[in-house]
Amino acid sequence: EDLDADLAPIEQILRGERADYTVEKRYVRSDGRMIWALLAVSLVTDADGVPLHFIAQIQDVSERRELERRLREQAERDHLTGLYNRRRFHEEIDRMLAEASRRNSHAGLLAIDLDGFKPINDEYGHQAGDTVLIRLAEEVGATVRRNEIFFRVGGDEFAILAPDADEEEMVGLARRVGGKIADMRFVFGGREVQLTASLGIALYPTHATSSEEIIARADSAMYQAKLSGKNRWAVFGSAKLH
């Protein structure tokens, strides 16, 4: 931490600009363990208001901070797959587009909707459906690159955000993801089952300049792929299907 930042509130107390100082900071214990602590500093004066000394209290709040972190994570994670959820998706897309605008760069959204998921749920039960979603999250997640973010945004709907991505890179992502899903095999009730996905690509700023627009246009491209035979991907505004 910056020493000047630590001393500034103390100097304000001495000048009478504030009565006390409270802050939560990270500290390193003598055993090397990092903790979060609540530091409270107050000034003690005599009857004439002349400063005598400071009282500083330090309370370890690491457990509370960890609980808060877990609660935040639970609020933004899908409970079944562990992927980021719709809430986090909207937060990240707003952040990504703001950053792309600031840097005058590109960004891409891949909308993913599974083909044939409902029949699996209907014929083999929701436990089979959950198995599909969990394994898909793991296997597709393993193909997602470090700067790409994978979300479950609905029942069998997923999305991937890719900062700094152009159309060629988004097409490569769609091929990777679509191919991985088509290659997956499941066995339920002694029968081998597979499914595919319809995927839609939209780009900022080529197709959209807001989060609402890019979501709508990726969904539009995805439905175009689905209506054209499924197991395909499409770029918004393009007549080509792949």
Short mmCIF file of all heavy atoms in Angstrom, two decimals, residues 24-27 29 33-38 59-70:
data_model
loop_
_atom_site.label_atom_id
_atom_site.label_comp_id
_atom_site.label_asym_id
_atom_site.label_seq_id
_atom_site.Cartn_x
_atom_site.Cartn_y
_atom_site.Cartn_z
N GLU A 24 -10.44 -1.07 5.56
CA GLU A 24 -10.12 -2.50 5.48
C GLU A 24 -8.96 -2.66 4.52
O GLU A 24 -8.99 -2.16 3.39
CB GLU A 24 -11.32 -3.31 5.00
CG GLU A 24 -12.40 -3.45 6.07
CD GLU A 24 -13.50 -4.42 5.68
OE1 GLU A 24 -13.33 -5.14 4.67
OE2 GLU A 24 -14.52 -4.45 6.38
N LYS A 25 -7.92 -3.36 4.97
CA LYS A 25 -6.70 -3.50 4.18
C LYS A 25 -6.18 -4.92 4.28
O LYS A 25 -6.52 -5.67 5.21
CB LYS A 25 -5.62 -2.54 4.69
CG LYS A 25 -5.98 -1.08 4.58
CD LYS A 25 -4.89 -0.20 5.16
CE LYS A 25 -3.58 -0.39 4.44
NZ LYS A 25 -2.55 0.52 4.96
N ARG A 26 -5.33 -5.27 3.32
CA ARG A 26 -4.65 -6.57 3.36
C ARG A 26 -3.32 -6.42 4.09
O ARG A 26 -2.58 -5.46 3.87
CB ARG A 26 -4.43 -7.11 1.96
CG ARG A 26 -5.69 -7.61 1.29
CD ARG A 26 -5.42 -8.12 -0.11
NE ARG A 26 -4.98 -7.04 -0.98
CZ ARG A 26 -4.70 -7.20 -2.26
NH1 ARG A 26 -4.78 -8.40 -2.81
NH2 ARG A 26 -4.32 -6.18 -3.01
N TYR A 27 -3.04 -7.36 4.94
CA TYR A 27 -1.79 -7.38 5.69
C TYR A 27 -1.14 -8.76 5.55
O TYR A 27 -1.83 -9.76 5.35
CB TYR A 27 -2.04 -7.10 7.18
CG TYR A 27 -2.51 -5.70 7.48
CD1 TYR A 27 -3.87 -5.39 7.46
CD2 TYR A 27 -1.61 -4.68 7.77
CE1 TYR A 27 -4.32 -4.11 7.73
CE2 TYR A 27 -2.05 -3.38 8.05
CZ TYR A 27 -3.41 -3.12 8.02
OH TYR A 27 -3.84 -1.83 8.28
N ARG A 29 0.91 -11.48 7.64
CA ARG A 29 1.30 -11.86 9.00
C ARG A 29 2.75 -12.32 9.02
O ARG A 29 3.38 -12.53 7.99
CB ARG A 29 0.39 -13.01 9.49
CG ARG A 29 -1.03 -12.57 9.73
CD ARG A 29 -1.96 -13.71 10.07
NE ARG A 29 -1.32 -14.87 10.65
CZ ARG A 29 -1.82 -15.56 11.67
NH1 ARG A 29 -2.94 -15.16 12.25
NH2 ARG A 29 -1.23 -16.64 12.11
N ARG A 33 1.16 -15.47 5.94
CA ARG A 33 -0.24 -15.59 5.48
C ARG A 33 -0.84 -14.21 5.28
O ARG A 33 -0.67 -13.32 6.11
CB ARG A 33 -1.06 -16.40 6.48
CG ARG A 33 -2.48 -16.68 6.01
CD ARG A 33 -3.15 -17.73 6.88
NE ARG A 33 -3.41 -17.26 8.22
CZ ARG A 33 -4.55 -16.65 8.57
NH1 ARG A 33 -5.51 -16.45 7.68
NH2 ARG A 33 -4.73 -16.25 9.82
N MET A 34 -1.57 -14.06 4.17
CA MET A 34 -2.25 -12.80 3.88
C MET A 34 -3.61 -12.78 4.56
O MET A 34 -4.36 -13.76 4.51
CB MET A 34 -2.43 -12.65 2.37
CG MET A 34 -3.00 -11.31 1.95
SD MET A 34 -1.77 -10.00 1.93
CE MET A 34 -0.82 -10.49 0.48
N ILE A 35 -3.93 -11.68 5.24
CA ILE A 35 -5.23 -11.55 5.89
C ILE A 35 -5.84 -10.20 5.52
O ILE A 35 -5.14 -9.28 5.09
CB ILE A 35 -5.13 -11.66 7.42
CG1 ILE A 35 -4.35 -10.46 8.00
CG2 ILE A 35 -4.53 -12.98 7.85
CD1 ILE A 35 -4.48 -10.34 9.50
N TRP A 36 -7.15 -10.12 5.68
CA TRP A 36 -7.85 -8.85 5.60
C TRP A 36 -8.11 -8.37 7.03
O TRP A 36 -8.53 -9.16 7.88
CB TRP A 36 -9.18 -8.99 4.88
CG TRP A 36 -9.06 -8.96 3.39
CD1 TRP A 36 -8.97 -10.01 2.54
CD2 TRP A 36 -9.02 -7.78 2.57
NE1 TRP A 36 -8.86 -9.58 1.24
CE2 TRP A 36 -8.91 -8.22 1.23
CE3 TRP A 36 -9.08 -6.41 2.83
CZ2 TRP A 36 -8.85 -7.33 0.16
CZ3 TRP A 36 -9.02 -5.52 1.78
CH2 TRP A 36 -8.90 -5.98 0.47
N ALA A 37 -7.84 -7.11 7.30
CA ALA A 37 -8.03 -6.58 8.65
C ALA A 37 -8.75 -5.24 8.59
O ALA A 37 -8.57 -4.46 7.64
CB ALA A 37 -6.71 -6.42 9.37
N LEU A 38 -9.56 -5.00 9.60
CA LEU A 38 -10.23 -3.71 9.76
C LEU A 38 -9.36 -2.86 10.69
O LEU A 38 -9.13 -3.22 11.83
CB LEU A 38 -11.62 -3.90 10.36
CG LEU A 38 -12.40 -2.62 10.70
CD1 LEU A 38 -12.74 -1.86 9.43
CD2 LEU A 38 -13.65 -2.95 11.48
N GLN A 59 -8.76 -5.56 13.58
CA GLN A 59 -9.59 -6.76 13.71
C GLN A 59 -9.47 -7.59 12.44
O GLN A 59 -9.65 -7.08 11.34
CB GLN A 59 -11.06 -6.36 13.94
CG GLN A 59 -12.01 -7.54 14.04
CD GLN A 59 -13.46 -7.09 14.15
OE1 GLN A 59 -13.75 -5.90 14.16
NE2 GLN A 59 -14.37 -8.04 14.22
N ASP A 60 -9.17 -8.86 12.60
CA ASP A 60 -9.07 -9.76 11.45
C ASP A 60 -10.49 -10.02 10.90
O ASP A 60 -11.35 -10.55 11.60
CB ASP A 60 -8.44 -11.09 11.89
CG ASP A 60 -8.14 -12.02 10.72
OD1 ASP A 60 -8.73 -11.82 9.63
OD2 ASP A 60 -7.34 -12.95 10.89
N VAL A 61 -10.73 -9.61 9.66
CA VAL A 61 -12.05 -9.79 9.05
C VAL A 61 -11.95 -10.72 7.83
O VAL A 61 -12.78 -10.67 6.93
CB VAL A 61 -12.66 -8.43 8.64
CG1 VAL A 61 -12.98 -7.59 9.86
CG2 VAL A 61 -11.74 -7.66 7.69
N SER A 62 -10.93 -11.57 7.82
CA SER A 62 -10.71 -12.45 6.66
C SER A 62 -11.89 -13.39 6.42
O SER A 62 -12.29 -13.62 5.27
CB SER A 62 -9.43 -13.27 6.86
OG SER A 62 -8.32 -12.43 7.01
N GLU A 63 -12.47 -13.94 7.50
CA GLU A 63 -13.57 -14.87 7.33
C GLU A 63 -14.79 -14.17 6.72
O GLU A 63 -15.45 -14.72 5.84
CB GLU A 63 -13.95 -15.51 8.67
CG GLU A 63 -12.93 -16.51 9.18
CD GLU A 63 -13.41 -17.24 10.42
OE1 GLU A 63 -14.61 -17.10 10.77
OE2 GLU A 63 -12.60 -17.97 11.03
N ARG A 64 -15.06 -12.96 7.18
CA ARG A 64 -16.20 -12.22 6.62
C ARG A 64 -15.96 -11.89 5.15
O ARG A 64 -16.85 -12.03 4.32
CB ARG A 64 -16.44 -10.93 7.41
CG ARG A 64 -17.54 -10.05 6.79
CD ARG A 64 -17.84 -8.83 7.63
NE ARG A 64 -16.73 -7.93 7.76
CZ ARG A 64 -16.31 -7.10 6.80
NH1 ARG A 64 -16.89 -7.11 5.60
NH2 ARG A 64 -15.29 -6.29 7.01
N ARG A 65 -14.73 -11.46 4.81
CA ARG A 65 -14.42 -11.16 3.42
C ARG A 65 -14.56 -12.39 2.54
O ARG A 65 -15.06 -12.32 1.42
CB ARG A 65 -13.00 -10.59 3.32
CG ARG A 65 -12.77 -9.26 4.00
CD ARG A 65 -13.33 -8.10 3.22
NE ARG A 65 -12.74 -7.94 1.93
CZ ARG A 65 -12.49 -6.77 1.37
NH1 ARG A 65 -12.77 -5.64 2.01
NH2 ARG A 65 -11.98 -6.68 0.16
N GLU A 66 -14.13 -13.55 3.03
CA GLU A 66 -14.23 -14.78 2.26
C GLU A 66 -15.70 -15.17 2.07
O GLU A 66 -16.09 -15.61 0.98
CB GLU A 66 -13.48 -15.90 2.97
CG GLU A 66 -13.60 -17.28 2.31
CD GLU A 66 -13.03 -17.34 0.90
OE1 GLU A 66 -12.26 -16.43 0.50
OE2 GLU A 66 -13.35 -18.30 0.18
N LEU A 67 -16.52 -15.00 3.11
CA LEU A 67 -17.95 -15.29 2.99
C LEU A 67 -18.59 -14.37 1.96
O LEU A 67 -19.39 -14.81 1.14
CB LEU A 67 -18.63 -15.12 4.35
CG LEU A 67 -20.15 -15.32 4.36
CD1 LEU A 67 -20.53 -16.71 3.89
CD2 LEU A 67 -20.72 -15.05 5.76
N GLU A 68 -18.24 -13.08 2.00
CA GLU A 68 -18.77 -12.14 1.02
C GLU A 68 -18.36 -12.53 -0.39
O GLU A 68 -19.16 -12.43 -1.33
CB GLU A 68 -18.29 -10.72 1.34
CG GLU A 68 -18.90 -10.15 2.61
CD GLU A 68 -18.27 -8.82 3.00
OE1 GLU A 68 -17.23 -8.44 2.39
OE2 GLU A 68 -18.79 -8.16 3.92
N ARG A 69 -17.10 -12.98 -0.55
CA ARG A 69 -16.63 -13.40 -1.87
C ARG A 69 -17.42 -14.60 -2.37
O ARG A 69 -17.83 -14.66 -3.55
CB ARG A 69 -15.14 -13.75 -1.81
CG ARG A 69 -14.53 -14.09 -3.16
CD ARG A 69 -13.17 -14.76 -3.00
NE ARG A 69 -13.26 -16.05 -2.37
CZ ARG A 69 -13.64 -17.15 -3.01
NH1 ARG A 69 -13.99 -17.12 -4.29
NH2 ARG A 69 -13.70 -18.31 -2.37
N ARG A 70 -17.68 -15.57 -1.47
CA ARG A 70 -18.43 -16.75 -1.88
C ARG A 70 -19.86 -16.40 -2.26
O ARG A 70 -20.42 -16.95 -3.22
CB ARG A 70 -18.42 -17.78 -0.74
CG ARG A 70 -17.07 -18.43 -0.51
CD ARG A 70 -17.13 -19.41 0.65
NE ARG A 70 -15.84 -19.99 0.94
CZ ARG A 70 -15.61 -20.81 1.96
NH1 ARG A 70 -16.60 -21.13 2.79
NH2 ARG A 70 -14.40 -21.31 2.15
#
